[in-house]
Amino acid sequence: MKIYPAFLSFLFITIFISPSVSDHCNAQDKKVLLKIKKALGNPYLLASWDPKTDCCDWYCLECHPNTHRVVSLTLFSDDRLTGQIPPEVGDLPYLETLLFRHLPNLNGTIQPAIAKLKNLKTLRLSWTNLSGPVPNFLSQLKNLTYLDLSFNNLSGSIPSSISTLPNLEALHLDRNKLTGTIPESFGMFPSKNLYLFILSHNKLSGTIPASLANMDFNTIDLSRNLLEGDPSVLFGPNKTTFEIDLSRNMFQFDLSKVQFPKSLARLDLNHNKITGSIPAGLTDLELQFMNVSYNRLCGQIPVGGRLQSFDYSTYFHNRCLCGAPLDTC
């Protein structure tokens, strides 16, 4: 059989060259990753992290298609993973996404070495046993667009420095033990694209900063805190807000004086001290959900829109509301 030179060249490349070029992983990144695995107790979740294989093929990782540097580290859903966030995570300089999620035995504080990750865009440390404060050093992550520290045991006050993040689009600090007030600086975020503002299920107190009138969030959830006063600055006819949840606080204001965004589809104000009547302007909205129960509202429920499509539980336990779906006035 005649063997052509071109075939011999292909055979040579396949046998002798391919094995070396198949390992795209950066050597330094691989070294750091193996240290992270060891620091976490070599969990089963990272069983694919074999030093003899290409780290770009490892589970929970993603490499850049051109540079082959590690850009994403996502560890999630493993009850057997224990320990603290390894400081070595700060030695992955091209990391854009860092996620530790649904890891109930991950403890300690938020690792200071994370501040070294200048390319980080997404930081999600949620559903863990992390404790301590929300650290000031997060303000150094100028490329951050998504910050999620929800469902942890974080305590202390919210640092005002978070408002200096120029590209932030989503802020989740809910389901912690945070105290103190909402920083006044939160009405001065440089980014006009901050669409998720979630601080619910904490122990925040005080009033809503007047500066928040400057912000146009898509979703606001401040429920289940100890907040008081008048939150009317969160509303307004020129805003594009889709959902507002202020339930289970101590807010006290006249609902009839509030002007609502035409975009509002979900409104939850239950368990506050809200007075006045339900404004007729709500009949103009395409509401998908509403709850104003357990307040001090009076007067007839306006007829029209979707206000009569909700059942009595939307309105009950108020001072003197009446009209469908409640009893007639």
Side-chain angles (χ1 to χ4, degrees):
M1 183 180 71
K2 186 176 181 181
I3 300 177
Y4 295 97
F7 176 77
L8 288 173
S9 298
F10 171 78
L11 196 62
F12 177 81
I13 291 171
T14 303
I15 295 174
F16 296 103
I17 297 180
S18 292
S20 61
V21 300
S22 65
D23 192 357
H24 296 301
C25 179
N26 177 271
Q28 181 59 29
D29 285 354
K30 177 181 276 192
K31 184 178 179 181
V32 169
L33 291 167
L34 292 173
K35 287 182 179 179
I36 291 173
K37 179 182 179 182
K38 183 178 180 181
L40 292 173
N42 298 308
Y44 179 75
L45 179 66
L46 305 182
S48 68
W49 290 24
D50 183 345
K52 297 178 181 179
T53 60
D54 184 355
C55 80
C56 291
D57 294 330
W58 292 353
Y59 188 55
C60 302
L61 287 179
E62 184 179 328
C63 291
H64 191 279
N66 298 323
T67 66
H68 309 298
R69 300 303 299 261
V70 175
V71 294
S72 177
L73 173 60
T74 58
L75 306 183
F76 55 92
S77 301
D78 188 350
D79 294 347
R80 293 166 292 183
L81 189 150
T82 61
Q84 303 184 11
I85 298 175
E88 287 83 4
V89 296
D91 297 326
L92 296 170
Y94 292 87
L95 211 59
E96 296 179 7
T97 298
L98 178 62
L99 182 150
F100 285 78
R101 194 162 189 262
H102 282 287
L103 303 171
N105 294 312
L106 186 74
N107 52 49
T109 59
I110 296 176
Q111 176 56 245
I114 291 174
K116 296 160 61 177
L117 301 174
K118 303 305 181 184
N119 291 301
L120 203 63
K121 296 179 181 178
T122 298
L123 178 61
R124 299 191 70 178
L125 309 175
S126 62
W127 296 83
T128 76
N129 200 28
L130 290 173
S131 57
V134 176
N136 262 307
F137 64 69
L138 295 177
S139 63
Q140 300 175 34
L141 304 174
K142 299 303 182 184
N143 286 306
L144 208 61
T145 60
Y146 197 105
L147 177 58
D148 182 0
L149 304 179
S150 62
F151 289 86
N152 292 300
N153 289 309
L154 301 177
S155 58
S157 59
I158 301 173
S160 61
S161 58
I162 288 179
S163 65
T164 64
L165 292 170
N167 300 298
L168 198 63
E169 297 177 0
L171 178 63
H172 283 267
L173 299 178
D174 47 307
R175 305 271 181 169
N176 282 289
K177 299 175 181 178
L178 300 175
T179 55
T181 60
I182 298 173
E184 184 74 29
S185 64
F186 273 24
M188 293 170 271
F189 276 92
S191 172
K192 300 305 178 187
N193 299 315
L194 183 57
Y195 61 93
L196 290 178
F197 187 62
I198 315 295
L199 307 181
S200 66
H201 293 79
N202 280 290
K203 298 178 181 179
L204 299 174
S205 58
T207 59
I208 300 299
S211 63
L212 286 185
N214 302 323
M215 301 300 297
D216 185 11
F217 304 111
N218 176 274
T219 298
I220 303 168
D221 188 352
L222 305 179
S223 63
R224 293 180 183 266
N225 278 290
L226 304 171
L227 298 165
E228 56 188 8
D230 186 350
S232 297
V233 295
L234 300 174
F235 300 89
N238 297 321
K239 296 192 176 186
T240 60
T241 309
F242 174 83
E243 178 175 2
I244 297 179
D245 188 346
L246 305 179
S247 63
R248 294 183 181 271
N249 279 284
M250 297 183 290
F251 290 121
Q252 190 167 0
F253 63 104
D254 187 340
L255 186 63
S256 63
K257 296 180 180 179
V258 174
Q259 291 184 290
F260 295 93
K262 294 190 181 301
S263 55
L264 192 65
R266 299 181 64 85
L267 177 64
D268 196 344
L269 302 175
N270 81 79
H271 285 84
N272 280 286
K273 300 177 182 180
I274 302 169
T275 59
S277 58
I278 295 177
L282 285 176
T283 62
D284 298 328
L285 306 183
E286 295 294 319
L287 289 170
Q288 300 171 9
F289 174 86
M290 188 175 83
N291 191 343
V292 294
S293 64
Y294 290 91
N295 280 291
R296 300 173 181 178
L297 298 170
C298 271
Q300 182 169 357
I301 298 170
V303 176
R306 297 190 174 180
L307 296 190
Q308 277 67 49
S309 68
F310 304 116
D311 64 26
Y312 76 101
S313 64
T314 293
Y315 303 102
F316 71 172
H317 286 280
N318 274 285
R319 181 169 289 165
C320 45
L321 275 183
C322 59
L326 300 179
D327 294 337
T328 56
C329 296

